[in-house]
Short mmCIF file of all heavy atoms in Angstrom, two decimals:
data_model
loop_
_atom_site.label_atom_id
_atom_site.label_comp_id
_atom_site.label_asym_id
_atom_site.label_seq_id
_atom_site.Cartn_x
_atom_site.Cartn_y
_atom_site.Cartn_z
N LEU A 1 255.80 -123.74 100.09
CA LEU A 1 255.08 -123.00 99.06
C LEU A 1 255.69 -121.61 98.86
O LEU A 1 255.85 -121.15 97.73
CB LEU A 1 253.60 -122.89 99.43
CG LEU A 1 252.69 -122.21 98.41
CD1 LEU A 1 252.70 -122.95 97.08
CD2 LEU A 1 251.25 -122.12 98.94
N ILE A 2 256.04 -120.95 99.96
CA ILE A 2 256.67 -119.63 99.85
C ILE A 2 258.01 -119.74 99.14
O ILE A 2 258.34 -118.89 98.28
CB ILE A 2 256.83 -119.00 101.25
CG1 ILE A 2 255.46 -118.70 101.86
CG2 ILE A 2 257.68 -117.75 101.18
CD1 ILE A 2 255.52 -118.19 103.28
N ARG A 3 258.78 -120.78 99.46
CA ARG A 3 260.08 -120.96 98.81
C ARG A 3 259.91 -121.15 97.30
O ARG A 3 260.65 -120.58 96.49
CB ARG A 3 260.80 -122.15 99.42
CG ARG A 3 262.19 -122.38 98.85
CD ARG A 3 262.83 -123.61 99.47
NE ARG A 3 263.01 -123.46 100.92
CZ ARG A 3 263.52 -124.40 101.70
NH1 ARG A 3 263.87 -125.56 101.18
NH2 ARG A 3 263.65 -124.20 103.00
N ILE A 4 258.91 -121.94 96.91
CA ILE A 4 258.66 -122.16 95.49
C ILE A 4 258.31 -120.86 94.79
O ILE A 4 258.81 -120.56 93.69
CB ILE A 4 257.52 -123.20 95.31
CG1 ILE A 4 258.00 -124.58 95.74
CG2 ILE A 4 257.04 -123.22 93.87
CD1 ILE A 4 256.91 -125.62 95.75
N GLN A 5 257.47 -120.05 95.42
CA GLN A 5 257.04 -118.79 94.79
C GLN A 5 258.19 -117.78 94.70
O GLN A 5 258.28 -117.03 93.73
CB GLN A 5 255.87 -118.18 95.57
CG GLN A 5 254.61 -119.01 95.52
CD GLN A 5 254.20 -119.31 94.09
OE1 GLN A 5 254.18 -118.44 93.23
NE2 GLN A 5 253.86 -120.57 93.84
N VAL A 6 259.07 -117.76 95.70
CA VAL A 6 260.23 -116.88 95.63
C VAL A 6 261.15 -117.30 94.49
O VAL A 6 261.66 -116.45 93.72
CB VAL A 6 260.99 -116.88 96.97
CG1 VAL A 6 262.31 -116.14 96.84
CG2 VAL A 6 260.14 -116.22 98.06
N VAL A 7 261.36 -118.61 94.35
CA VAL A 7 262.18 -119.11 93.26
C VAL A 7 261.58 -118.73 91.91
O VAL A 7 262.29 -118.27 91.00
CB VAL A 7 262.34 -120.64 93.38
CG1 VAL A 7 262.91 -121.22 92.09
CG2 VAL A 7 263.23 -120.98 94.56
N LEU A 8 260.27 -118.89 91.75
CA LEU A 8 259.61 -118.54 90.49
C LEU A 8 259.67 -117.04 90.23
O LEU A 8 259.89 -116.60 89.10
CB LEU A 8 258.16 -119.02 90.51
CG LEU A 8 257.93 -120.51 90.28
CD1 LEU A 8 256.44 -120.84 90.40
CD2 LEU A 8 258.44 -120.92 88.91
N MET A 9 259.46 -116.23 91.27
CA MET A 9 259.42 -114.78 91.08
C MET A 9 260.76 -114.26 90.57
O MET A 9 260.81 -113.44 89.65
CB MET A 9 259.04 -114.08 92.39
CG MET A 9 258.86 -112.56 92.25
SD MET A 9 258.25 -111.80 93.77
CE MET A 9 259.65 -112.09 94.86
N LEU A 10 261.85 -114.75 91.14
CA LEU A 10 263.17 -114.29 90.70
C LEU A 10 263.60 -114.98 89.40
O LEU A 10 264.15 -114.33 88.50
CB LEU A 10 264.20 -114.56 91.79
CG LEU A 10 264.17 -113.63 93.00
CD1 LEU A 10 265.19 -114.07 94.03
CD2 LEU A 10 264.42 -112.19 92.59
N GLY A 11 263.35 -116.27 89.30
CA GLY A 11 263.81 -117.01 88.12
C GLY A 11 263.10 -116.61 86.84
O GLY A 11 263.69 -116.64 85.76
N MET A 12 261.82 -116.23 86.96
CA MET A 12 261.06 -115.86 85.77
C MET A 12 261.19 -114.37 85.44
O MET A 12 260.60 -113.90 84.46
CB MET A 12 259.58 -116.20 85.97
CG MET A 12 259.32 -117.67 86.24
SD MET A 12 259.79 -118.73 84.87
CE MET A 12 258.51 -118.32 83.70
N LEU A 13 261.94 -113.63 86.25
CA LEU A 13 262.06 -112.19 86.05
C LEU A 13 262.58 -111.82 84.65
O LEU A 13 261.98 -110.96 83.98
CB LEU A 13 262.96 -111.59 87.13
CG LEU A 13 263.21 -110.08 87.06
CD1 LEU A 13 261.90 -109.32 87.24
CD2 LEU A 13 264.21 -109.65 88.11
N PRO A 14 263.68 -112.40 84.15
CA PRO A 14 264.14 -112.01 82.81
C PRO A 14 263.10 -112.28 81.72
O PRO A 14 262.92 -111.46 80.81
CB PRO A 14 265.40 -112.87 82.61
CG PRO A 14 265.85 -113.22 83.98
CD PRO A 14 264.60 -113.35 84.79
N LEU A 15 262.41 -113.41 81.82
CA LEU A 15 261.42 -113.76 80.80
C LEU A 15 260.21 -112.83 80.87
O LEU A 15 259.67 -112.40 79.85
CB LEU A 15 260.99 -115.21 80.99
CG LEU A 15 260.34 -115.89 79.78
CD1 LEU A 15 261.27 -115.86 78.58
CD2 LEU A 15 259.97 -117.33 80.13
N GLN A 16 259.75 -112.51 82.06
CA GLN A 16 258.60 -111.62 82.21
C GLN A 16 258.91 -110.22 81.70
O GLN A 16 258.08 -109.59 81.04
CB GLN A 16 258.18 -111.57 83.68
CG GLN A 16 257.50 -112.83 84.16
CD GLN A 16 257.09 -112.74 85.62
OE1 GLN A 16 257.59 -111.90 86.36
NE2 GLN A 16 256.18 -113.61 86.05
N LEU A 17 260.11 -109.73 82.01
CA LEU A 17 260.46 -108.40 81.52
C LEU A 17 260.58 -108.39 80.00
O LEU A 17 260.20 -107.42 79.34
CB LEU A 17 261.77 -107.94 82.15
CG LEU A 17 261.71 -107.57 83.63
CD1 LEU A 17 263.09 -107.16 84.13
CD2 LEU A 17 260.73 -106.43 83.87
N GLY A 18 261.13 -109.45 79.43
CA GLY A 18 261.27 -109.52 77.99
C GLY A 18 259.94 -109.58 77.27
O GLY A 18 259.77 -108.96 76.21
N TRP A 19 258.97 -110.31 77.83
CA TRP A 19 257.68 -110.46 77.16
C TRP A 19 256.73 -109.32 77.47
O TRP A 19 256.02 -108.82 76.59
CB TRP A 19 257.03 -111.78 77.59
CG TRP A 19 257.43 -112.94 76.77
CD1 TRP A 19 258.36 -113.90 77.10
CD2 TRP A 19 256.98 -113.30 75.46
NE1 TRP A 19 258.49 -114.82 76.09
CE2 TRP A 19 257.64 -114.48 75.07
CE3 TRP A 19 256.05 -112.74 74.58
CZ2 TRP A 19 257.41 -115.11 73.85
CZ3 TRP A 19 255.83 -113.36 73.36
CH2 TRP A 19 256.50 -114.52 73.01
N PHE A 20 256.64 -108.92 78.74
CA PHE A 20 255.57 -108.02 79.17
C PHE A 20 256.04 -106.65 79.64
O PHE A 20 255.22 -105.77 79.88
CB PHE A 20 254.76 -108.67 80.30
CG PHE A 20 254.30 -110.06 79.99
CD1 PHE A 20 254.81 -111.15 80.68
CD2 PHE A 20 253.37 -110.29 78.99
CE1 PHE A 20 254.38 -112.44 80.39
CE2 PHE A 20 252.94 -111.57 78.69
CZ PHE A 20 253.45 -112.65 79.40
N GLN A 21 257.36 -106.45 79.82
CA GLN A 21 257.89 -105.20 80.33
C GLN A 21 257.21 -104.79 81.64
O GLN A 21 256.94 -103.63 81.89
CB GLN A 21 257.74 -104.05 79.32
CG GLN A 21 258.62 -104.18 78.09
CD GLN A 21 258.00 -105.06 77.04
OE1 GLN A 21 256.81 -104.91 76.75
NE2 GLN A 21 258.76 -105.95 76.46
N GLN A 22 256.92 -105.78 82.48
CA GLN A 22 256.27 -105.52 83.76
C GLN A 22 256.91 -106.37 84.85
O GLN A 22 257.41 -107.47 84.60
CB GLN A 22 254.78 -105.84 83.70
CG GLN A 22 253.94 -104.78 83.00
CD GLN A 22 252.46 -105.06 83.15
OE1 GLN A 22 252.04 -106.14 83.54
NE2 GLN A 22 251.64 -104.07 82.85
N LEU A 23 256.87 -105.83 86.06
CA LEU A 23 257.36 -106.53 87.24
C LEU A 23 256.34 -106.35 88.34
O LEU A 23 255.95 -105.23 88.66
CB LEU A 23 258.73 -105.98 87.66
CG LEU A 23 259.28 -106.46 89.00
CD1 LEU A 23 259.56 -107.96 88.94
CD2 LEU A 23 260.55 -105.71 89.37
N SER A 24 255.87 -107.44 88.91
CA SER A 24 254.85 -107.37 89.96
C SER A 24 255.44 -107.78 91.29
O SER A 24 256.10 -108.83 91.40
CB SER A 24 253.66 -108.28 89.62
OG SER A 24 252.72 -108.26 90.68
N LEU A 25 255.21 -106.97 92.31
CA LEU A 25 255.68 -107.27 93.67
C LEU A 25 254.59 -107.94 94.51
O LEU A 25 254.84 -108.26 95.67
CB LEU A 25 256.16 -105.99 94.35
CG LEU A 25 257.35 -105.30 93.69
CD1 LEU A 25 257.77 -104.07 94.50
CD2 LEU A 25 258.54 -106.25 93.53
N VAL A 26 253.39 -108.12 93.93
CA VAL A 26 252.32 -108.78 94.67
C VAL A 26 252.07 -110.19 94.14
O VAL A 26 251.11 -110.83 94.54
CB VAL A 26 251.01 -107.96 94.60
CG1 VAL A 26 251.22 -106.58 95.18
CG2 VAL A 26 250.50 -107.88 93.16
N SER A 27 252.93 -110.66 93.24
CA SER A 27 252.73 -112.01 92.72
C SER A 27 252.87 -113.06 93.81
O SER A 27 252.17 -114.08 93.79
CB SER A 27 253.73 -112.28 91.59
OG SER A 27 255.07 -112.18 92.06
#
């Protein structure tokens, strides 16, 4: 589960910044 969340956190970073201009370290 941790591995999946790390993959999502990094992989979705460009899309999240483009849409929301935010980065969360507690996700």
